[in-house]
Amino acid sequence: MSGDDQATTGTSAGVPLTGIRVLIVEDEALIAMDLEDLILDGGGLLVAPPLRTCREALAVSEAQDIDLAILDVSLPDGEVYPVAEVLRTRDIPLIFHSGHAAHQDIKGRFPNAGWIAKPSDTSVIMDTLLTLMDL
């Protein structure tokens, strides 16, 4: 591999989410900031700032072009499942990122969705994102 090939490969590896539009629904500020940084550092785009409630997330999930969503389950105004249903009808890949929800319950309702238990490492989140997007 030439030096030019190595530079090109290194650049694409550093921004694996280039152009991917991501919806983040997370009510914990520090986790939301970490997810936002992960997406932006990976070359992705946020369709909105991280959203804290189901009401906000429903409005955005119905109106925006979204390629992928990361959803916390327990939000101040209820569980995120209505948002997940809207996204599923739009064939948008989902990742549930939760410290409280039962994995088996979610996999039963959303068998194609990713699941990451909190606390989690950013490398696990990125690997799950890339797997869901077939990147």
Side-chain angles (χ1 to χ4, degrees):
M1 182 182 298
S2 73
D4 290 339
D5 292 338
Q6 288 174 349
T8 303
T9 303
T11 301
S12 63
V15 288
L17 300 175
T18 299
I20 303 294
R21 298 167 302 218
V22 181
L23 171 66
I24 298 172
V25 181
E26 174 59 63
D27 65 328
E28 295 181 44
L30 291 177
I31 294 173
M33 288 188 308
D34 285 346
L35 291 172
E36 184 176 14
D37 288 346
L38 179 70
I39 299 305
L40 296 175
D41 290 348
L45 308 168
L46 297 178
V47 298
L51 305 172
R52 300 191 69 233
T53 66
C54 288
R55 191 184 94 245
E56 294 171 331
L58 273 171
V60 170
S61 67
E62 293 170 341
Q64 297 290 326
D65 289 331
I66 301 167
D67 297 312
L68 177 71
I70 303 171
L71 309 174
D72 184 11
V73 174
S74 298
L75 301 170
D77 62 345
E79 293 184 329
V80 78
Y81 301 123
V83 176
E85 291 290 351
V86 168
L87 295 169
R88 177 169 54 184
T89 63
R90 295 183 61 197
D91 294 322
I92 296 170
L94 310 171
I95 294 175
F96 290 96
H97 187 232
S98 179
H100 305 289
H103 178 224
Q104 288 308 106
D105 292 343
I106 289 176
K107 285 310 256 184
R109 289 177 76 176
F110 301 93
N112 296 322
W115 165 264
I116 302 170
K118 291 179 187 176
S120 59
D121 184 83
T122 56
S123 65
V124 171
I125 297 169
M126 182 60 78
D127 288 348
T128 304
L129 292 169
L130 296 175
T131 298
L132 278 177
M133 296 300 299
D134 290 324
L135 298 174

